[in-house]
Amino acid sequence: MRQPTWATNSWASMSVSELAGDYFDGRSARPVKALASLTPQGLQLRGDTLDRVVPLSQVQWPERTRHGQRIVHVADGASFQAYDPAAFDAWRAGHGHRGSLVERAQQSWRGVLVAVALLAVLAGALYQWGLPAAARGVLSFVPASVDQRLGESALHTLGGQILEPSTLPMVQQEALKRAFDGAVAAAYPAGQAPAYRVHFHKSRIGPNAFALPGGIIVMTDELVKLVEGDVEVVVGVLAHELGHVEHRHGMRMVVQTGLLGVITSVAFGDFSGWLAAAPVILGQAAYSRAAEREADVTSIRILRAAGLSPLAMVRFFEKIGAKEGGRDRSLLGIAFASHPADAERIAVFREAAR
């Protein structure tokens, strides 16, 4: 229990002024009109049928607020409720009570602003660094079999919504897969490359490529046609997607989204579902940008190992830019909605080609 903070004045010099209020014994809802005073023995409460002294060690004092009642609680369940909050504060101040640091800060708008600013900094740090670190930690305990089941389920769902059977000639599909397999083999020691499967599909999302958990890589017919079947470009894009597979970005996003959902639900409650969803969406975009940069590094490494120039990816972005005419890249679908700016990525690939 919180005990009062006393000034240097002694008990002998304390005021014996009394404070009016209602006393509740903790067993009955009927109040007893009482007068409270502080004595060397403790808190004295007197009324028509009441005369008791409570040791200060058994008294819990209320925090001072701008509004609200002042209720003193006693260890045995009894309480004393002052009629006049202002008079109660003055009565306690007259006995040397200054209040805790937190209590005084709550009464200061400067203190409140400092607390809000510190909370915002802490929340930002947790959002930016704590959450990704937590997701990586949780992901280390998730077996790869979970990735595979989730990836298969996602592919099945997408197959019924945006993906259709490929119309590319089978000869071309196999040639592109062989070229990619050769590049991967050159970039990884035997048996060390992440498991993957390449699928070509006609789609409703236009030129696109994306990786699903468990090593499923999807490239749309529209993307192959956009780059005019350029094998080096296709290998570079598939290598980028393999980077997502290698770093388990898909599963990491699932874990991060789940953690964000838990945190925001606790903070805002289920009744604010739309508000709780907002940071989840923002978090996906921010973390995806970091993941894209990691995947670009993998693409550069595989291209170099295969003796191919990273400039292939520059050609890819030029093709995409020419098709879109500078429009919002999110129109291309899920794989490009949160990618870093093309200019930044092009500069990275140009530098890697030197």
Side-chain angles (χ1 to χ4, degrees), residues 229-244:
D230 188 325
V231 176
E232 293 185 358
V233 172
V234 171
V235 169
V237 174
L238 291 176
H240 170 91
E241 299 306 329
L242 187 63
H244 289 308

Side-chain angles (χ1 to χ4, degrees), residues 58 60 73 78 80 100 106 112 136 139 287-288 291 309 340 351:
Q58 300 179 20
Q60 182 178 2
H73 293 279
F80 174 77
S100 66
Q106 290 175 340
V112 172
R136 286 192 292 270
L139 190 59
Y287 301 139
S288 291
S309 172
E351 180 65 26

Side-chain angles (χ1 to χ4, degrees), residues 16 30 35 71 81 86 98-99 126 147 149 155 165 172 185 280 340:
V16 293
R30 179 176 298 178
L35 294 175
I71 302 177
Q81 180 176 320
R98 298 180 60 248
L126 175 64
D147 298 47
R149 289 196 296 269
L155 182 62
Q172 183 180 24
V280 174

